[in-house]
Amino acid sequence: VRLTASLLGRGKLLRALEGAAERGASVDVTLERAPYGGGDGQLARLNRHVAQDLRRHGVAAHLTQPGDASLHLKAAIIDGAAFLDQRNWPSSGPDQLAVTQSPKDIEAISNAIDGKAALRRGDLALRKGAALDLEVGAIRHAASGSVVRCESETFGPSAVSRALLERARRGERVELLVTEATLAGNQVERRVLSQLQSAGAAVKLTRADEKVALAGNVAWIGSANATSASPEMLDWGACSRDAATLSVLSERFDARWGAAREFVA
């Protein structure tokens, strides 16, 4: 078992990792040393304490080191499957995971965990910049007349916002959901949202923290936020053209869109 997270709380996944190691499985966990850039804060202390707990149960637990790429990649490789998580392996609440059994995908994810230059393999990207490139490609290549629907926990001036603005200015339908809590006090984000709204995009605020884009026959999901910061950060994004996946993600977006409130500039 190999697992990474920017944060790992004390929940059922932690207990499962410890239990697997106690049964004799090889379990390796890497956590971010300084979550969200805070090396001495509460979240950094949580990861240090969790790593100590894991080691007591026989897990090879590591923290990233100064000079390593920031770790926003929530990945797990378990025997012949890899799991990519949008959140930090929560014990409750909504979450989305991508699962692959492709040996080449698993090799790429393993290389990314090891710090090797695994940027992108086809429709899978393992750096933030490469993940957002996939999202931008889906938005820009969607056929004329397609409704493009996008959601991000945090949002700002980026290649994603520019791609959405281009479509909105052409008169294409654009729907954008942004997490309300992260918008509070963020004047840069408000200006970008106002610009999109003025161009004709429909912008709403949600309590959820999903990251998804639906563009024509392509769905993008990932844990990379639509901002320009930290393009080399270990992160992930993936595109799918599977009709069932598109249907499920569209239904989930519909539910959040219906419950969201209008953004007021």
Side-chain angles (χ1 to χ4, degrees), residues 118-134:
L119 297 177
R120 179 170 166 181
R121 180 183 176 272
D123 284 334
L124 171 65
L126 297 161
R127 291 288 194 279
K128 179 182 176 181
L132 295 184
D133 285 346
L134 278 177

Side-chain angles (χ1 to χ4, degrees), residues 42-241:
Q42 180 180 357
L43 299 179
R45 289 194 295 272
L46 170 64
N47 274 354
R48 289 198 297 270
H49 294 158
V50 165
Q52 291 168 0
D53 290 345
L54 287 165
R55 293 182 195 118
R56 282 193 286 270
H57 291 268
V59 175
H62 322 275
L63 299 175
T64 59
Q65 296 301 307
D68 291 348
S70 297
L71 178 63
H72 201 247
L73 176 68
K74 283 76 75 171
I77 301 172
I78 305 171
D79 295 331
F83 302 80
L84 296 166
D85 184 30
Q86 273 202 337
R87 297 175 63 199
N88 280 294
W89 309 107
S91 295
S92 61
D95 195 17
Q96 292 183 149
L97 293 94
V99 184
T100 177
Q101 293 180 305
S102 161
K104 291 188 178 296
D105 285 346
I106 293 170
E107 180 183 17
I109 295 165
S110 181
N111 285 340
I113 294 172
D114 289 336
K116 299 177 183 176
L119 297 177
R120 179 170 166 181
R121 180 183 176 272
D123 284 334
L124 171 65
L126 297 161
R127 291 288 194 279
K128 179 182 176 181
L132 295 184
D133 285 346
L134 278 177
E135 185 175 10
V136 168
I139 292 168
R140 286 189 169 146
H141 295 144
S144 179
S146 300
V147 177
V148 169
R149 318 178 83 190
C150 183
E151 183 171 359
S152 184
E153 182 180 2
T154 58
F155 196 82
S158 69
V160 174
S161 65
R162 291 191 292 273
L164 294 174
L165 187 61
E166 288 168 7
R167 292 193 71 93
R169 284 175 170 168
R170 293 200 303 266
E172 306 276 4
R173 175 70 178 177
V174 171
E175 297 176 355
L176 175 62
L177 276 174
V178 176
T179 304
E180 185 169 7
T182 59
L183 178 62
N186 189 330
Q187 294 305 313
V188 173
E189 186 171 340
R190 294 193 71 88
R191 284 196 293 272
V192 176
L193 297 180
S194 297
Q195 187 179 33
L196 280 161
Q197 193 176 62
S198 296
V203 182
K204 287 189 174 185
L205 305 180
T206 177
R207 294 182 179 180
D209 55 4
E210 308 279 4
K211 295 100 174 173
V212 63
L214 303 168
N217 65 343
V218 178
W220 177 95
I221 59 171
S223 70
N225 281 296
T227 60
S228 58
S230 305
E232 296 304 312
M233 175 187 291
L234 285 174
D235 213 334
W236 74 274
C239 285
S240 173
R241 293 163 184 79

Side-chain angles (χ1 to χ4, degrees), residues 241-249:
R241 293 163 184 79
D242 175 69
T245 299
L246 281 160
S247 177
V248 169
L249 291 174

